[in-house]
Amino acid sequence: MSSVLGVSVGAGAVRVARPFTGDSAEQAARNFGAPPQQRYARARSGFDGPPDAFDVQAVPVGERRVDELVADAVGAVLAADSRISATAIAYRDENHARAIRAELARRQFTNYELVPDVVAALEFLEYSGELQGFGTVALYDLGASGLSVTVVDTGTRQVCFSERTSDISGDYLDALIREQQIASGRIAHPPDHTGLIALDKLCREAKEQLSSSSAVALPSTEGLVLLSQENFDALIMLAVESSARMTRDVILRSEQPVQAVALLGGCAQIPLVAKVLRRWLGIPVIVPAAPDTVVTRGAAMLARPVLHRPAPAPFPAAPREDAGPTSPEPSQSWPARPGSAEKFGRRREISLAGVAVGALVVVAAIGITLGWGPQVLTHDSQRQDAVTSSVPASTTRSSSEPAIASPTTTAIDATNESLAAPQPHTYPTTTPEAPATTPGPNTITIIPGLPPVVVPTLPPLFPPAPPAQAR
């Protein structure tokens, strides 16, 4: 006989739930006074059994990472019970789910499913009959780290509006009790962080006991924690009213006809919370048994083996050339849109044109590099040779041989040899021609065909030495 495992992830604890073995319709009738098929609706996941027939265990988070604690808890339960064939883990948001999925993948866990905590809570509340007759409800989840208010449609399980705040939480209520006990003088302030954590744990235990008793007295190393129900209600009244105001605002912003409010989380067991919400909202307030384990038991109801889960819609495959024409199926997930073939053809033509243009650019770049590069380098070397050879020529030429040739007799540059020389044209101009520069001893030709550059004669740096006098 196989079993399932449900896991819920909270800021204060990680809870696991497994159905009890050996439960039957007769046992359920003895526990609740009616057969299950008359008392409970059938779960959408196929679960069939009493809603409280679960073995629920909680593991405090403490200083550990939540995703690591979830993986440790799942691994320990699977190792202890080989009959578990499916696991469902309820998560609060995408960051939670991403971290848990990464840690489980690192440890090579595969037979599990992640479900939103809202869906898990609805699964349990609908199965237990708590939401019978309500179409739109608000889930008021007050846990250790904050308050979440979610408006959801029970028929479609679609979230209409959701909001979360950390202004009110179970840890905040514990801190109120701690400060009140220290201010009363019965408890000394802990000297270190370890003593503060121990006192907070004691205040949390007092808060949980006040859910079912009128007073509590818990001893500790720092003193006696003594608190009555009346003092506790007066202490947390403002915080609870603030949560009721937030719930009313969320319902108004959702613009949905909310018919009831279901309380979840450990703090939902505080009697004052339900009382204040009924007074502020004026609609039915549902407090299920053990509201802190509703999500965990709902996750166990949703747990299914990997092979039994509905397969996702297949992605449409490309049509084969050898296959004949087939008529489209009415249940096709992605129906073909009109004109999709034409759009695909146009995109393909544009892509081919882009490839052709890119190839031309590459060929042109290679041609320029291979064809013009050597000529440019040759031209530069010729210019360098001309400059180099002109410098000594200015010092060795004679007066009968001019150092600079006329522009009309200048040789054509090697770079332009392949180009046809244009016919000379004469244009009338009124600008007088510049007088020709007579080559002198300080004249240097840098570029053939251009006027020479006259280098000025620099004066000597030191005055000439006086002539030596004859003795």
Side-chain angles (χ1 to χ4, degrees), residues 336-347:
R337 298 181 179 178
S340 59
E342 291 79 2
K343 293 181 180 179
F344 178 78
R346 289 195 295 269
R347 288 196 298 268

Side-chain angles (χ1 to χ4, degrees), residues 24-35:
S24 60
E26 291 78 12
Q27 181 67 28
R30 288 194 297 268
N31 291 339
F32 300 97

Side-chain angles (χ1 to χ4, degrees), residues 330-356:
S331 61
Q332 188 176 0
S333 300
W334 285 272
R337 298 181 179 178
S340 59
E342 291 79 2
K343 293 181 180 179
F344 178 78
R346 289 195 295 269
R347 288 196 298 268
R348 186 174 181 181
E349 293 175 359
I350 294 174
S351 177
L352 292 177
V355 172

